Amino acid sequence: SMQTSPTSLSFEGESGGSNPASQNVVITNNSSGTLNWTATTANDWITLSAVSGSTAVSGNSILSIGAGLSGLSAGTYTGHVTVSSGTPAADIVTINLTVIEIPPLIANAGDPYSAEEGEAVLLNGSSSSGRIALYEWDVDDDGTYEYSTTSSTQSHTYTMDGTYTVRLRISDAGGSTAEDTETATISDSVPTADFTADTMSGTGSFTVIFTNNSTGYDQPLTYEWDFDEDGIIDSTFENPSYLYTVSDTYDVALTVTDADGSIDTLTITNYITVNAGIPGCANFPVKKGSTLYTEVQSAYNVASDGETIETQDTDIYEDLSLSRDVTVTMLGGYNCDYTGTSGTTTINGNISITTGTLILEGIVLQ
Ligand SMILES: [Ca+2]
Ligand SMILES: [Ca+2]
Ligand SMILES: [Ca+2]
Ligand SMILES: [Ca+2]
C-alpha cells in the first residue's frame, strides 16, 4: 500500500509579496511491487514539483508542494492535492493558505518638535505604518536627507535657532516611498551670568579680583560689570579687578550678552564690604610726601630714591611688586592725619622684590 505524510500543509504570505517556501510530503511504498503514483490538484494556486513518479519497494519519494500568491487577495484559502496509485485508495493532502493584506505605506514625521539650539531633538517616525525598510530624515527640508536609518527614531541637534520643516521619507523593500513633514521650532539660547570674587571684605582700600563664571551657547559673550551699584559700567573685561576705597557695602552686577544679543544679569547684593580703615579717617592709608594714596603700590611706583612712604595704623590688603632700582623706606602705624604714630601697619599680601631696597619700620607682614 501507499502512505503519504503529512496530510495537511499550511502556508502564509503577503498579498502581492513573494511566495512562501515550498513544503514536502513523503510518499512511502509499503507494497511488494513498484509504486506508480500521480499527484493532481484542482487549485491553480497550488504548485507541484511532479505530477507522477515511481517509488521502489520499501522506498519513498518526495513531492514538493508550493503556494503561488500571484493574483490572490487577502484571505484564507483551502485546497487539496490528491496522490493516487491507481488502486482504489488515494491520499488527500489538505493545503491551507493565509494571505495577509500588506498595510499601506504611510509616513508620519511625529508631533511638532521644539527645543533650544544646541539641544538634541528626537525625531520620531514610529507612528508611520507599512512594511518600512528605511527611514530618511531631511531636518531642514532642503532636499538633502541628513539621516538614513532602519530605526524609526533619530536624534538631531539644531545648532541655530529658527523654525524648520522636517521631512520624513519612508521606503519599503520594493522601493515604494511615502513622505510626511513636521515643524521644528528651535528657540534661541540665553546666557547665564555668574561670577565670584577672590575676597568679599576688607579694610581701608583693597583690590578685588572678579572671576567670570558665566555660560552661554552663542559664543562669544561680552561682559559689563558694575562694581559699585551706581549703574555705570566700570569694566568690560571678562575677569576684571576693582579697587575699593570707600567704606560701604556694595552690590555687584554682571551683565552678559551673547553673540546674537541675548542678555542675562546677575546682581549679588551687599557682595563687597569695605570697612573703614582707622575710624574717622578718610580711606587713604598711604601717604608719600604731601600726596595721599589708597594703595602702597601706587606710592611706591612714583617714589624717588631715598623717599619715605607713610602708612596708617590699619590692615592693608595688597600684594606688592617692588622692581625699581631705588631705596624706599616704609614707616607704619600713623594716625589719621599722619601727625604721629600710634601702632603698626599690617600688610596682608605677598611682597616680591626683584631689585631695589625696601626698609620697613612699624610694619607687620602677614
Ligand atoms: Ca537637509
Ligand atoms: Ca542663537
Ligand atoms: Ca542667544
Ligand atoms: Ca559703577
Side-chain angles (χ1 to χ4, degrees), residues 68-83:
L69 302 181
S70 178
L72 295 186
S73 55
T76 58
Y77 299 82
T78 303
H80 300 94
V81 174
T82 302
V83 180

mmCIF file with all atom_site columns, all heavy atoms in Angstrom, residues 68-83:
data_model
loop_
_atom_site.group_PDB
_atom_site.id
_atom_site.type_symbol
_atom_site.label_atom_id
_atom_site.label_alt_id
_atom_site.label_comp_id
_atom_site.label_asym_id
_atom_site.label_entity_id
_atom_site.label_seq_id
_atom_site.pdbx_PDB_ins_code
_atom_site.Cartn_x
_atom_site.Cartn_y
_atom_site.Cartn_z
_atom_site.occupancy
_atom_site.B_iso_or_equiv
_atom_site.pdbx_formal_charge
_atom_site.auth_seq_id
_atom_site.auth_comp_id
_atom_site.auth_asym_id
_atom_site.auth_atom_id
_atom_site.pdbx_PDB_model_num
ATOM 1   N N   . GLY A 1 68 ? 1.335   29.689 -4.760 1.00 0.00 ? 68 GLY A N   1
ATOM 2   C CA  . GLY A 1 68 ? 1.641   30.893 -5.525 1.00 0.00 ? 68 GLY A CA  1
ATOM 3   C C   . GLY A 1 68 ? 0.669   32.015 -5.159 1.00 0.00 ? 68 GLY A C   1
ATOM 4   O O   . GLY A 1 68 ? -0.551  31.847 -5.210 1.00 0.00 ? 68 GLY A O   1
ATOM 5   N N   . LEU A 1 69 ? 1.187   33.145 -4.756 1.00 0.00 ? 69 LEU A N   1
ATOM 6   C CA  . LEU A 1 69 ? 0.335   34.230 -4.252 1.00 0.00 ? 69 LEU A CA  1
ATOM 7   C C   . LEU A 1 69 ? -0.184  35.149 -5.354 1.00 0.00 ? 69 LEU A C   1
ATOM 8   O O   . LEU A 1 69 ? -1.088  35.957 -5.113 1.00 0.00 ? 69 LEU A O   1
ATOM 9   C CB  . LEU A 1 69 ? 1.117   35.073 -3.245 1.00 0.00 ? 69 LEU A CB  1
ATOM 10  C CG  . LEU A 1 69 ? 1.677   34.333 -2.031 1.00 0.00 ? 69 LEU A CG  1
ATOM 11  C CD1 . LEU A 1 69 ? 2.406   35.313 -1.135 1.00 0.00 ? 69 LEU A CD1 1
ATOM 12  C CD2 . LEU A 1 69 ? 0.555   33.632 -1.266 1.00 0.00 ? 69 LEU A CD2 1
ATOM 13  N N   . SER A 1 70 ? 0.385   35.012 -6.529 1.00 0.00 ? 70 SER A N   1
ATOM 14  C CA  . SER A 1 70 ? 0.050   35.953 -7.587 1.00 0.00 ? 70 SER A CA  1
ATOM 15  C C   . SER A 1 70 ? -1.453  35.988 -7.850 1.00 0.00 ? 70 SER A C   1
ATOM 16  O O   . SER A 1 70 ? -2.094  34.953 -8.051 1.00 0.00 ? 70 SER A O   1
ATOM 17  C CB  . SER A 1 70 ? 0.799   35.545 -8.869 1.00 0.00 ? 70 SER A CB  1
ATOM 18  O OG  . SER A 1 70 ? 0.447   36.414 -9.916 1.00 0.00 ? 70 SER A OG  1
ATOM 19  N N   . GLY A 1 71 ? -2.002  37.175 -7.793 1.00 0.00 ? 71 GLY A N   1
ATOM 20  C CA  . GLY A 1 71 ? -3.421  37.350 -8.091 1.00 0.00 ? 71 GLY A CA  1
ATOM 21  C C   . GLY A 1 71 ? -4.338  37.069 -6.923 1.00 0.00 ? 71 GLY A C   1
ATOM 22  O O   . GLY A 1 71 ? -5.557  37.233 -7.041 1.00 0.00 ? 71 GLY A O   1
ATOM 23  N N   . LEU A 1 72 ? -3.786  36.636 -5.815 1.00 0.00 ? 72 LEU A N   1
ATOM 24  C CA  . LEU A 1 72 ? -4.648  36.319 -4.671 1.00 0.00 ? 72 LEU A CA  1
ATOM 25  C C   . LEU A 1 72 ? -4.794  37.555 -3.773 1.00 0.00 ? 72 LEU A C   1
ATOM 26  O O   . LEU A 1 72 ? -3.814  38.176 -3.414 1.00 0.00 ? 72 LEU A O   1
ATOM 27  C CB  . LEU A 1 72 ? -4.067  35.170 -3.847 1.00 0.00 ? 72 LEU A CB  1
ATOM 28  C CG  . LEU A 1 72 ? -3.965  33.806 -4.527 1.00 0.00 ? 72 LEU A CG  1
ATOM 29  C CD1 . LEU A 1 72 ? -3.507  32.752 -3.522 1.00 0.00 ? 72 LEU A CD1 1
ATOM 30  C CD2 . LEU A 1 72 ? -5.315  33.410 -5.124 1.00 0.00 ? 72 LEU A CD2 1
ATOM 31  N N   . SER A 1 73 ? -6.028  37.877 -3.425 1.00 0.00 ? 73 SER A N   1
ATOM 32  C CA  . SER A 1 73 ? -6.241  38.946 -2.465 1.00 0.00 ? 73 SER A CA  1
ATOM 33  C C   . SER A 1 73 ? -6.170  38.375 -1.049 1.00 0.00 ? 73 SER A C   1
ATOM 34  O O   . SER A 1 73 ? -6.086  37.153 -0.857 1.00 0.00 ? 73 SER A O   1
ATOM 35  C CB  . SER A 1 73 ? -7.597  39.618 -2.714 1.00 0.00 ? 73 SER A CB  1
ATOM 36  O OG  . SER A 1 73 ? -8.621  38.658 -2.700 1.00 0.00 ? 73 SER A OG  1
ATOM 37  N N   . ALA A 1 74 ? -6.188  39.280 -0.080 1.00 0.00 ? 74 ALA A N   1
ATOM 38  C CA  . ALA A 1 74 ? -6.072  38.829 1.308  1.00 0.00 ? 74 ALA A CA  1
ATOM 39  C C   . ALA A 1 74 ? -7.239  37.918 1.668  1.00 0.00 ? 74 ALA A C   1
ATOM 40  O O   . ALA A 1 74 ? -8.374  38.122 1.238  1.00 0.00 ? 74 ALA A O   1
ATOM 41  C CB  . ALA A 1 74 ? -6.040  40.035 2.239  1.00 0.00 ? 74 ALA A CB  1
ATOM 42  N N   . GLY A 1 75 ? -6.954  36.866 2.435  1.00 0.00 ? 75 GLY A N   1
ATOM 43  C CA  . GLY A 1 75 ? -7.998  35.941 2.858  1.00 0.00 ? 75 GLY A CA  1
ATOM 44  C C   . GLY A 1 75 ? -7.400  34.585 3.168  1.00 0.00 ? 75 GLY A C   1
ATOM 45  O O   . GLY A 1 75 ? -6.169  34.421 3.159  1.00 0.00 ? 75 GLY A O   1
ATOM 46  N N   . THR A 1 76 ? -8.254  33.616 3.458  1.00 0.00 ? 76 THR A N   1
ATOM 47  C CA  . THR A 1 76 ? -7.782  32.253 3.714  1.00 0.00 ? 76 THR A CA  1
ATOM 48  C C   . THR A 1 76 ? -8.302  31.344 2.605  1.00 0.00 ? 76 THR A C   1
ATOM 49  O O   . THR A 1 76 ? -9.442  31.492 2.141  1.00 0.00 ? 76 THR A O   1
ATOM 50  C CB  . THR A 1 76 ? -8.250  31.735 5.087  1.00 0.00 ? 76 THR A CB  1
ATOM 51  O OG1 . THR A 1 76 ? -9.681  31.793 5.138  1.00 0.00 ? 76 THR A OG1 1
ATOM 52  C CG2 . THR A 1 76 ? -7.678  32.576 6.204  1.00 0.00 ? 76 THR A CG2 1
ATOM 53  N N   . TYR A 1 77 ? -7.443  30.451 2.194  1.00 0.00 ? 77 TYR A N   1
ATOM 54  C CA  . TYR A 1 77 ? -7.764  29.553 1.077  1.00 0.00 ? 77 TYR A CA  1
ATOM 55  C C   . TYR A 1 77 ? -7.477  28.114 1.522  1.00 0.00 ? 77 TYR A C   1
ATOM 56  O O   . TYR A 1 77 ? -6.528  27.871 2.269  1.00 0.00 ? 77 TYR A O   1
ATOM 57  C CB  . TYR A 1 77 ? -6.895  29.859 -0.145 1.00 0.00 ? 77 TYR A CB  1
ATOM 58  C CG  . TYR A 1 77 ? -7.100  31.282 -0.678 1.00 0.00 ? 77 TYR A CG  1
ATOM 59  C CD1 . TYR A 1 77 ? -6.452  32.371 -0.106 1.00 0.00 ? 77 TYR A CD1 1
ATOM 60  C CD2 . TYR A 1 77 ? -7.951  31.505 -1.756 1.00 0.00 ? 77 TYR A CD2 1
ATOM 61  C CE1 . TYR A 1 77 ? -6.654  33.651 -0.580 1.00 0.00 ? 77 TYR A CE1 1
ATOM 62  C CE2 . TYR A 1 77 ? -8.161  32.790 -2.254 1.00 0.00 ? 77 TYR A CE2 1
ATOM 63  C CZ  . TYR A 1 77 ? -7.500  33.868 -1.665 1.00 0.00 ? 77 TYR A CZ  1
ATOM 64  O OH  . TYR A 1 77 ? -7.701  35.125 -2.147 1.00 0.00 ? 77 TYR A OH  1
ATOM 65  N N   . THR A 1 78 ? -8.335  27.203 1.057  1.00 0.00 ? 78 THR A N   1
ATOM 66  C CA  . THR A 1 78 ? -8.095  25.780 1.319  1.00 0.00 ? 78 THR A CA  1
ATOM 67  C C   . THR A 1 78 ? -8.141  25.023 -0.008 1.00 0.00 ? 78 THR A C   1
ATOM 68  O O   . THR A 1 78 ? -9.047  25.252 -0.826 1.00 0.00 ? 78 THR A O   1
ATOM 69  C CB  . THR A 1 78 ? -9.159  25.197 2.275  1.00 0.00 ? 78 THR A CB  1
ATOM 70  O OG1 . THR A 1 78 ? -9.151  25.944 3.490  1.00 0.00 ? 78 THR A OG1 1
ATOM 71  C CG2 . THR A 1 78 ? -8.864  23.732 2.582  1.00 0.00 ? 78 THR A CG2 1
ATOM 72  N N   . GLY A 1 79 ? -7.139  24.194 -0.251 1.00 0.00 ? 79 GLY A N   1
ATOM 73  C CA  . GLY A 1 79 ? -7.115  23.380 -1.467 1.00 0.00 ? 79 GLY A CA  1
ATOM 74  C C   . GLY A 1 79 ? -6.657  21.967 -1.129 1.00 0.00 ? 79 GLY A C   1
ATOM 75  O O   . GLY A 1 79 ? -6.414  21.647 0.053  1.00 0.00 ? 79 GLY A O   1
ATOM 76  N N   . HIS A 1 80 ? -6.560  21.166 -2.160 1.00 0.00 ? 80 HIS A N   1
ATOM 77  C CA  . HIS A 1 80 ? -6.191  19.767 -1.927 1.00 0.00 ? 80 HIS A CA  1
ATOM 78  C C   . HIS A 1 80 ? -5.263  19.271 -3.013 1.00 0.00 ? 80 HIS A C   1
ATOM 79  O O   . HIS A 1 80 ? -5.345  19.720 -4.161 1.00 0.00 ? 80 HIS A O   1
ATOM 80  C CB  . HIS A 1 80 ? -7.435  18.870 -1.881 1.00 0.00 ? 80 HIS A CB  1
ATOM 81  C CG  . HIS A 1 80 ? -8.404  19.251 -0.799 1.00 0.00 ? 80 HIS A CG  1
ATOM 82  N ND1 . HIS A 1 80 ? -9.472  20.098 -1.019 1.00 0.00 ? 80 HIS A ND1 1
ATOM 83  C CD2 . HIS A 1 80 ? -8.451  18.908 0.515  1.00 0.00 ? 80 HIS A CD2 1
ATOM 84  C CE1 . HIS A 1 80 ? -10.140 20.274 0.113  1.00 0.00 ? 80 HIS A CE1 1
ATOM 85  N NE2 . HIS A 1 80 ? -9.533  19.557 1.065  1.00 0.00 ? 80 HIS A NE2 1
ATOM 86  N N   . VAL A 1 81 ? -4.409  18.314 -2.615 1.00 0.00 ? 81 VAL A N   1
ATOM 87  C CA  . VAL A 1 81 ? -3.589  17.574 -3.567 1.00 0.00 ? 81 VAL A CA  1
ATOM 88  C C   . VAL A 1 81 ? -3.970  16.095 -3.401 1.00 0.00 ? 81 VAL A C   1
ATOM 89  O O   . VAL A 1 81 ? -3.987  15.588 -2.273 1.00 0.00 ? 81 VAL A O   1
ATOM 90  C CB  . VAL A 1 81 ? -2.084  17.783 -3.313 1.00 0.00 ? 81 VAL A CB  1
ATOM 91  C CG1 . VAL A 1 81 ? -1.247  16.873 -4.218 1.00 0.00 ? 81 VAL A CG1 1
ATOM 92  C CG2 . VAL A 1 81 ? -1.712  19.258 -3.525 1.00 0.00 ? 81 VAL A CG2 1
ATOM 93  N N   . THR A 1 82 ? -4.300  15.471 -4.492 1.00 0.00 ? 82 THR A N   1
ATOM 94  C CA  . THR A 1 82 ? -4.663  14.055 -4.453 1.00 0.00 ? 82 THR A CA  1
ATOM 95  C C   . THR A 1 82 ? -3.494  13.233 -4.985 1.00 0.00 ? 82 THR A C   1
ATOM 96  O O   . THR A 1 82 ? -3.013  13.470 -6.097 1.00 0.00 ? 82 THR A O   1
ATOM 97  C CB  . THR A 1 82 ? -5.908  13.797 -5.315 1.00 0.00 ? 82 THR A CB  1
ATOM 98  O OG1 . THR A 1 82 ? -6.979  14.605 -4.826 1.00 0.00 ? 82 THR A OG1 1
ATOM 99  C CG2 . THR A 1 82 ? -6.311  12.323 -5.265 1.00 0.00 ? 82 THR A CG2 1
ATOM 100 N N   . VAL A 1 83 ? -3.018  12.302 -4.149 1.00 0.00 ? 83 VAL A N   1
ATOM 101 C CA  . VAL A 1 83 ? -1.941  11.392 -4.555 1.00 0.00 ? 83 VAL A CA  1
ATOM 102 C C   . VAL A 1 83 ? -2.587  10.014 -4.748 1.00 0.00 ? 83 VAL A C   1
ATOM 103 O O   . VAL A 1 83 ? -3.191  9.473  -3.813 1.00 0.00 ? 83 VAL A O   1
ATOM 104 C CB  . VAL A 1 83 ? -0.821  11.338 -3.502 1.00 0.00 ? 83 VAL A CB  1
ATOM 105 C CG1 . VAL A 1 83 ? 0.286   10.389 -3.963 1.00 0.00 ? 83 VAL A CG1 1
ATOM 106 C CG2 . VAL A 1 83 ? -0.266  12.749 -3.243 1.00 0.00 ? 83 VAL A CG2 1
#
